[in-house]
Amino acid sequence: MTARMRGPALFTAVALLVLVVAPAVLDPFRLGLLAKYLCFAIAALGIGLAWGQGGMLTLGQGVFFGLGGYSMAMYLKLHDAGPGNLPDFMVWSGVERLPLLWKPFTSPVFAIAAAVVVPAAAAALLGLLVFRQRVRGAYFAILSQALAAAFTIWLVGQQGLTGGTNGLTHFYDVFGRDPETDGAKRIFYFVVAVVLGALYLLARQLMKSRFGRLLVAVRDGEDRVRFLGYNPATVKTVAFAVSAAMAGIAGALYVPVVGIISPSLLGVVPSIELVVAVAIGGRFSLAGAALGGVLLNWAHTTFSEQYPSGWVYLQGLMFILVIMVAPGGVAGAARWAAEAIGRRRTGRGPSSVPEPAGPTHGQKEVAAP
């Protein structure tokens, strides 16, 4: 099979596995868990675009995940309450009038649009403020992490507006369906799977475009790109905004799938776990990033079920082993194995040292796209 055909064939095989095999062999509960993993895979795909392809280590992706999730949850709570009524948690908190922030979310179209636009706009604003000052590397990572911490603290302190520590939960009607029924869970699963596939194809096409080549050039040599007459801040801001939009979509899908959105899902630790998932899957590969989102959360569930008192250590051990054995992640190891097999078939013999999963700084000259 030629290299040109290998990618579409692999994508088709994965699509059949996700859309045909998984729904046929998994019970509704496990299918719901897989839908949750795919939501995290969407967020990880965005991190793969920003970090793996653009070199921006973002440790605050939970903020954008939360903006999308709360946008969807606000509409669902208002829909459950009915016209003119307040959501249940506002009644318990003593709120007498619907806050102005909530009023637009009576429209499902507005809520869905906000789940995409608000995270992207927030990331674009942050990018314009930060990247123009040439903040990058560890400084950008710490800044994004601080943003996640501040956002979580704000959510917790707004009991009457956001539900506080408990967040928003107990959704009884999701677009005309009871989310607890098996049929609804299957529909939610298919929606999440299709959206993940569409976003992956979109991200892949973006990386094949002129913008994608320029983004990789910025990652490998930002100063060189600036000398060539391009503005790296603009390129990074666009990529960061697209990544945030993907996280917002993931959060919006997560709400009907799991039935809750709360500050505990959006803080520093969940954001770091997403980055760890991308590292496990392979940050230089979009498919690897998405795979890492599934693998880490599957391990989370499996280890916690089998070893309730020590699953965190097992999950950490898995991360350490992957980084030690395959620094490029699962995707990097698979790529090296495929190249080794190809060398054997052509008679050149296998290389004794694994090739890096992606280009390193200074490894190649940057050419103008």
Side-chain angles (χ1 to χ4, degrees), residues 243-265:
S243 171
M246 290 184 179
I249 294 172
L253 293 172
Y254 182 90
V255 169
V257 167
V258 181
I260 186 174
I261 188 73
S262 69
S264 63
L265 299 167

Side-chain angles (χ1 to χ4, degrees), residues 96-112:
E96 298 180 354
R97 179 178 295 180
L98 185 68
L100 183 63
L101 177 64
W102 277 70
K103 291 184 178 180
F105 290 92
T106 55
S107 168
V109 176
F110 181 88
I112 294 173

Side-chain angles (χ1 to χ4, degrees), residues 131 218 221-223 225-227 229-237:
F131 296 138
V218 170
E222 183 173 332
D223 294 331
V225 172
R226 184 177 292 108
F227 295 151
Y230 295 97
N231 187 354
T234 302
V235 177
K236 294 168 72 173
T237 298

Side-chain angles (χ1 to χ4, degrees), residues 44 109 150 155 159 199 205 222 233 255 277 286 295 321:
V109 176
L155 288 174
Q159 176 68 39
L199 290 178
Q205 187 62 35
E222 183 173 332
V255 169
L286 294 174
L295 287 178
L321 290 177

Side-chain angles (χ1 to χ4, degrees), residues 47-48 189:
I47 296 178
Y189 170 80

Side-chain angles (χ1 to χ4, degrees), residues 149-168:
F151 184 59
T152 302
I153 293 173
W154 181 81
L155 288 174
V156 171
Q158 303 296 319
Q159 176 68 39
L161 186 65
T162 65
T165 305
N166 296 327
L168 303 180

